[in-house]
Amino acid sequence: NSKLEKKHAHALLCARAFVRSKMFAAAAAFVDVASLHARRRRFSISSSSSSPRRFKNNNNNIAKKKKTVVVVVQSKGFDFLPNSLLPSESFSAETTTFLDVSRGLAKRLRAAKELHPTWGREKQIIVGIAGPPGGGKSTLAKQVSRQFRKLQRNNNNNNSANNRNATTTSKEEEDEDDEEEDDDENENENENDDSDNEDVTTDVVIVPMDGYHYYRHQLEKMDNPQHAFAKRGAPFTFDSERFVQDIVNLRKTGSGSFPSFDHGKGDPVENDILVDYKRHKIVLVEGNYLFLGEQPWARLLDENCFDETWYVNCPVNEATKRVIDRHIRTGKTKEAAELRAYSNDMVNAKLVDANKRFTDLMIPNAKKWSRNSSNSA
């Protein structure tokens, strides 16, 4: 394993050297070599591990030595990126915030877009984000989208000023700016609104699985409507065939029209999200069941719909508590919220959690939103 790791690192060094020399064909060849060594190393690790528990223990030992939370458990996606560009580099167990995670992932997307010598500027990157109900998938996707756009704007501003008047900003000041943006955007529910983003040529768009809930009138026509409503959010209450086919088509064409979900009405909104290949070079697909092994969900991974997959690693119990709070905020009594969460949401969360082994990146469960806030993420 150590020899393969050294070969992988050496191939990446050569690739970066050729990129700096603008010898892109040679760089591409070494990226392919690095990817080959990475796959061989993963196969060697999985073959030598007698059980998932043993593999997990090995990762825990590594984390203890580095005294950091290792975000990248297994990197099968953007494995051409150097370790210095992985978002785990500065995430410690005590200081990591949700905004830190979002910024790190946005930088990762930007690096992946810029450093892969064979993709070019026209390559569209599709990332699948999964996690338990209440785990923070939607919030993460929204923040990563915002931070990516912020990086783009800052880069454009710095280029126009030739970096002469560039000023440094502390992380506390960044957090304060982001919290003010949150307050300004609370009135706007459209997470894909890019009206203030016209100067950004590589934009990001979010496609949520929530838009593929069966309509309420469709649930009423099921064999057991009462059971269907009680279990809404379970895999069988989604139009999974349509969702999977739409994402497969998105992978092939780079464009499409997708539904969103109106939580006030409790039903999807058709054609509310438009993905345009010419503009949207980063697509974040988020939902609970992206990594399920049964059909039709399994097509998403089998047909390589995602360039990289992320899992929001929120413990099931903590995610369920968040869901209970969310139910209460929507008007349910505490008793009704707990009944709903423990009989349905927690069951779904355990199913999702059981399939997280298929992810490329394990996203840490940040304890705080920002350095300026005492609230949890």
Side-chain angles (χ1 to χ4, degrees):
N1 289 341
S2 60
K3 289 183 179 179
L4 289 174
E5 188 172 2
K6 289 179 180 178
K7 290 180 178 179
H8 176 252
H10 181 261
L12 285 177
L13 285 173
C14 293
R16 289 197 295 273
F18 281 119
V19 168
R20 286 194 295 269
S21 301
K22 298 184 178 181
M23 300 173 65
F24 297 116
F30 275 99
V31 167
D32 292 339
V33 171
S35 299
L36 176 62
H37 289 316
R39 288 193 295 271
R40 285 176 175 173
R41 182 169 177 269
R42 285 196 302 273
F43 178 77
S44 177
I45 291 174
S46 60
S47 299
S48 62
S49 177
S50 58
S51 69
R53 182 180 299 274
R54 179 180 171 188
F55 184 74
K56 183 178 180 180
N57 288 339
N58 288 340
N59 277 329
N60 287 339
N61 291 336
I62 295 172
K64 288 179 181 178
K65 290 179 182 178
K66 293 184 177 180
K67 296 182 180 180
T68 61
V69 175
V70 179
V71 182
V72 183
V73 176
Q74 286 177 282
S75 182
K76 297 169 286 188
F78 305 148
D79 54 14
F80 57 85
L81 289 180
N83 290 336
S84 60
L85 291 173
L86 299 180
S88 60
E89 56 183 294
S90 60
F91 288 170
S92 70
E94 300 301 324
T95 62
T96 299
T97 69
F98 189 84
L99 289 179
D100 286 333
V101 174
S102 302
R103 292 187 191 109
L105 293 171
K107 291 176 181 176
R108 179 179 178 82
L109 288 175
R110 183 176 172 83
K113 195 78 184 70
E114 293 179 348
L115 290 187
H116 199 298
T118 61
W119 282 358
R121 295 180 63 85
E122 294 305 307
K123 166 69 177 180
Q124 184 184 67
I125 297 175
I126 303 179
V127 175
I129 307 174
K137 302 176 300 297
S138 301
T139 307
L140 179 74
K142 183 176 180 179
Q143 276 297 326
V144 171
S145 171
R146 179 181 298 166
Q147 295 299 331
F148 184 88
R149 289 170 176 167
K150 190 174 180 179
L151 285 173
Q152 293 282 85
R153 289 195 299 269
N154 290 344
N155 182 65
N156 290 346
N157 293 338
N158 287 339
N159 286 341
S160 62
N162 293 323
N163 292 323
R164 291 176 182 175
N165 299 318
T167 58
T168 59
T169 305
S170 69
K171 289 190 175 182
E172 288 77 8
E173 290 173 323
E174 281 187 287
D175 288 354
E176 196 171 310
D177 291 342
D178 286 328
E179 286 168 355
E180 288 178 359
E181 287 182 22
D182 277 335
D183 293 337
D184 293 340
E185 293 185 14
N186 278 339
E187 298 179 1
N188 185 1
E189 294 292 331
N190 187 358
E191 58 201 8
N192 288 315
D193 181 24
D194 55 8
S195 56
D196 63 341
N197 203 46
E198 294 180 358
D199 60 324
V200 175
T201 56
T202 302
D203 201 11
V204 56
V205 63
I206 301 170
V207 177
M209 193 190 78
D210 271 357
Y212 292 84
H213 273 97
Y214 279 125
Y215 284 87
R216 298 172 66 85
H217 69 80
Q218 290 175 299
L219 296 178
E220 291 171 355
K221 294 179 181 178
M222 290 186 174
D223 293 339
N224 189 340
Q226 185 177 1
H227 176 73
F229 276 102
K231 294 296 183 180
R232 199 176 197 194
F236 77 91
T237 65
F238 286 88
D239 191 349
S240 55
E241 292 280 358
R242 180 189 172 195
F243 170 69
V244 170
Q245 189 58 54
D246 281 357
I247 300 302
V248 169
N249 291 339
L250 172 65
R251 175 81 283 180
K252 293 178 180 178
T253 66
S255 301
S257 175
F258 304 88
S260 65
F261 189 80
D262 187 331
H263 288 276
K265 296 180 179 178
D267 269 332
V269 180
E270 295 296 331
N271 303 315
D272 194 41
I273 300 169
L274 299 178
V275 180
D276 179 9
Y277 177 80
K278 293 182 179 179
R279 179 174 182 85
H280 299 116
K281 298 305 183 184
I282 307 289
V283 182
L284 305 179
V285 180
E286 62 96 356
N288 294 339
Y289 306 122
L290 305 188
F291 308 156
L292 292 195
E294 60 263 22
Q295 296 296 343
W297 306 98
R299 289 183 62 199
L300 295 172
L301 297 185
D302 291 345
E303 299 186 29
N304 298 315
C305 289
F306 307 123
D307 295 293
E308 187 163 76
T309 54
W310 301 348
Y311 185 84
V312 183
N313 196 25
C314 180
V316 170
N317 289 337
E318 183 175 336
T320 303
K321 289 179 182 178
R322 295 180 186 176
V323 171
I324 292 172
D325 291 339
R326 189 164 65 193
H327 287 327
I328 293 174
R329 287 196 300 271
T330 60
K332 287 184 172 64
T333 65
K334 182 179 179 182
E335 292 74 16
E338 290 179 344
L339 176 62
R340 171 81 179 186
Y342 290 126
S343 64
N344 185 44
D345 299 302
M346 178 176 272
V347 175
N348 298 333
K350 289 181 178 179
L351 173 63
V352 173
D353 192 70
N355 288 273
K356 66 183 180 182
R357 64 187 182 277
F358 297 115
T359 192
D360 297 327
L361 280 180
M362 199 71 73
I363 311 302
N365 179 44
K367 300 299 182 184
K368 292 179 61 177
W369 177 265
S370 70
R371 287 171 177 77
N372 300 325
S373 172
S374 59
N375 297 330
S376 58

